[in-house]
Amino acid sequence: MSTTQSDRLRGLIEPLVHAKDLDLEEIEVSRAGRRGLLRVVVDSEEGVELDACAELSREISEKLDETEVMGEGEYVLEVSSPGADRPLTEHRHYVRATGRLAKLQLAAGEEFVARILAVDEDGLDLEVPGVKGRKPTARRVEFADIAKARVEIEFNRKDKKEEEA
């Protein structure tokens, strides 16, 4: 996608996303056979419901139909929320992942899984699970030291509402 097309799409789509109190995470344009594919990924502190994606999709489609930013050919528009295991790349991603397990790869090459306990401007306070019956340990990691991070999906973790009951 050319920078000009990317900038034009962002300029059209971002105000519609923000009007719904959502964050625009990603815009991706690719080819799917003869058709173009425009994928828009949105998120919020509370997550994104299917109805919000559908409504936003209609609004984006109408706005795109008024312009020629997608060109003359046919295209498919997809509006969705990020997957549960998406990469953590922005400060707000880490804040939203507080309480969840994450797999971190440090710039020095070390990889480990830990629960995100707290997030501040400089980094993360983590709890590294104990191995073979050992107690979990606390660990501090600065953002500058993180090469990659991704939420780990937990199938057996109790929901916060269940824990409070």
Side-chain angles (χ1 to χ4, degrees):
M1 170 169 67
S2 72
T3 304
T4 305
Q5 184 184 30
S6 175
D7 292 342
R8 290 179 63 200
L9 282 167
R10 184 167 289 280
L12 286 171
I13 295 170
E14 203 161 33
L16 299 173
V17 171
H18 287 269
K20 302 243 178 267
D21 291 324
L22 299 172
D23 295 320
L24 180 59
E25 295 292 341
E26 182 181 351
I27 296 175
E28 178 186 335
V29 176
S30 60
R31 301 291 313 150
R34 296 182 321 169
R35 295 181 180 177
L37 173 63
L38 172 59
R39 182 173 289 124
V40 178
V41 180
V42 296
D43 202 4
S44 78
E45 295 293 329
E46 298 79 33
V48 182
E49 296 194 7
L50 185 59
D51 290 343
C53 286
E55 187 177 323
L56 184 58
S57 179
R58 283 189 294 276
E59 291 179 17
I60 291 172
S61 181
E62 288 173 13
K63 189 62 116 174
L64 291 173
D65 288 347
E66 296 171 4
T67 70
E68 293 182 18
V69 70
M70 287 300 293
E72 294 293 318
E74 295 179 15
Y75 67 92
V76 175
L77 172 62
E78 291 181 6
V79 177
S80 65
S81 62
D85 64 343
R86 64 114 177 258
L88 303 174
T89 57
E90 302 284 336
H91 184 270
R92 69 178 179 266
H93 298 164
Y94 290 97
V95 171
R96 290 177 187 159
T98 299
R100 307 218 25 218
L101 278 180
K103 182 175 184 177
L104 293 104
Q105 180 181 357
L106 302 184
E110 179 185 5
E111 276 191 29
F112 62 96
V113 174
R115 188 165 310 281
I116 300 173
L117 299 178
V119 180
D120 60 32
E121 294 303 314
D122 300 318
L124 311 170
D125 291 326
L126 305 167
E127 179 183 75
V128 181
V131 180
K132 296 182 182 177
R134 293 187 182 149
K135 291 186 178 183
T137 57
R139 182 160 182 188
R140 173 77 182 175
V141 175
E142 303 297 318
F143 286 123
D145 297 331
I146 300 172
K148 292 181 184 177
R150 179 180 300 276
V151 168
E152 288 284 288
I153 297 173
E154 297 178 83
F155 292 106
N156 59 353
R157 181 150 191 239
K158 290 182 180 177
D159 190 329
K160 287 181 184 177
K161 292 176 184 171
E162 290 178 34
E163 290 176 0
E164 292 170 1

